Amino acid sequence: MKALIPVEMIERKIYLIRGHKVMLDSDLAKLYEVPTRRLNEQVKRNISRFPADFMFQLTDEEADNLRSQIATSSSAHGGRRYLPFVFTEQGVAMLSSVLNSERAVQVNIAIMRAFVKLRELMATHKDLARKLEEMEKKYDTQFKVVFDAIRGLMTPPETKKRKIGFEVRESRARYGTSGRKRPR
């Protein structure tokens, strides 16, 4: 059976906010093929099903950080007039019950599989780190270089932000404060 939505595509739409793995209301609406407005209307009609650990609204700062993280402009989510809502794994599971469509059920299955896959990857990474520590304790310092190299490979590389614009490298001695070249 062919997957409705590739798990990798869903994984790219899962963010870590306030220590929770969440998905944006607008991303979920696209997956469910409904307008974001309709998805949020259904949630508000059934708000008792969505406690704070299932769904919450982003703050201005969180929304700004998220926009810069996914490289979008402020109008990226349809020129919204309100801050986005995000749904935890439990909130996403609850969405299929309030949207009442076959597509919602199928999309939820795909999303749940993505959350499970992410959990498994995180557990594997923790197990690998624990095993490496055990081996480090067992062997002497001659392997320290090897362990440091392996630990370096396990750590995700830092992304350096490039400066935007041009860098002017002119000698101030040849130019006055007016910006015109001085005669020699």
Side-chain angles (χ1 to χ4, degrees):
M1 183 177 155
K2 186 178 177 252
L4 180 69
I5 300 163
V7 172
E8 294 78 23
M9 187 181 110
I10 295 169
E11 286 174 359
R12 287 190 299 259
K13 297 186 181 299
I14 298 174
Y15 304 99
L16 187 64
I17 299 174
R18 298 183 199 173
H20 299 282
K21 287 189 242 33
V22 297
M23 293 185 74
L24 282 168
D25 56 0
S26 56
D27 289 338
L28 288 163
K30 284 178 190 167
L31 293 171
Y32 293 131
E33 296 179 345
V34 299
T36 305
R37 179 184 76 254
R38 181 171 180 276
L39 182 136
N40 287 328
E41 285 171 358
Q42 289 300 96
V43 168
K44 287 175 185 170
R45 286 183 187 146
N46 297 280
I47 199 67
S48 63
R49 295 180 184 214
F50 295 93
D53 58 328
F54 282 30
M55 173 197 87
F56 54 89
Q57 193 168 24
L58 297 181
T59 64
D60 284 323
E61 185 180 332
E62 289 168 334
D64 289 342
N65 287 340
L66 191 61
R67 281 186 200 106
S68 65
Q69 187 180 359
I70 56 179
T72 62
S73 67
S74 58
S75 62
H77 296 288
R80 302 175 91 149
R81 295 181 185 174
Y82 59 90
L83 294 167
F85 287 95
V86 292
F87 295 83
T88 64
E89 183 176 353
Q90 295 84 3
V92 171
M94 191 59 72
L95 278 174
S96 65
S97 68
V98 299
L99 290 176
N100 292 331
S101 73
E102 183 59 31
R103 172 133 183 116
V105 171
Q106 295 304 314
V107 167
N108 269 30
I109 290 169
I111 292 171
M112 292 303 114
R113 287 182 177 146
F115 273 108
V116 167
K117 185 177 173 188
L118 283 176
R119 247 193 324 277
E120 288 171 353
L121 284 171
M122 288 176 69
T124 301
H125 186 72
K126 286 178 185 174
D127 285 345
L128 185 59
R130 184 182 46 76
K131 287 178 184 176
L132 185 63
E133 276 184 39
E134 288 172 7
M135 287 177 66
E136 221 172 344
K137 289 175 186 173
K138 190 185 285 187
Y139 297 101
D140 60 15
T141 56
Q142 69 182 10
F143 289 106
K144 183 175 178 3
V145 174
V146 174
F147 290 121
D148 289 344
I150 292 171
R151 191 167 266 100
L153 290 171
M154 289 174 58
T155 307
E158 286 186 28
T159 55
K160 294 182 181 177
K161 291 186 178 182
R162 293 182 11 196
K163 291 182 180 178
I164 297 174
F166 296 99
E167 191 173 312
V168 180
R169 294 181 187 165
E170 295 182 32
S171 171
R172 285 238 175 241
R174 294 183 63 197
Y175 293 89
T177 56
S178 65
R180 288 188 280 174
K181 200 171 189 179
R182 289 186 187 164
R184 289 187 179 200

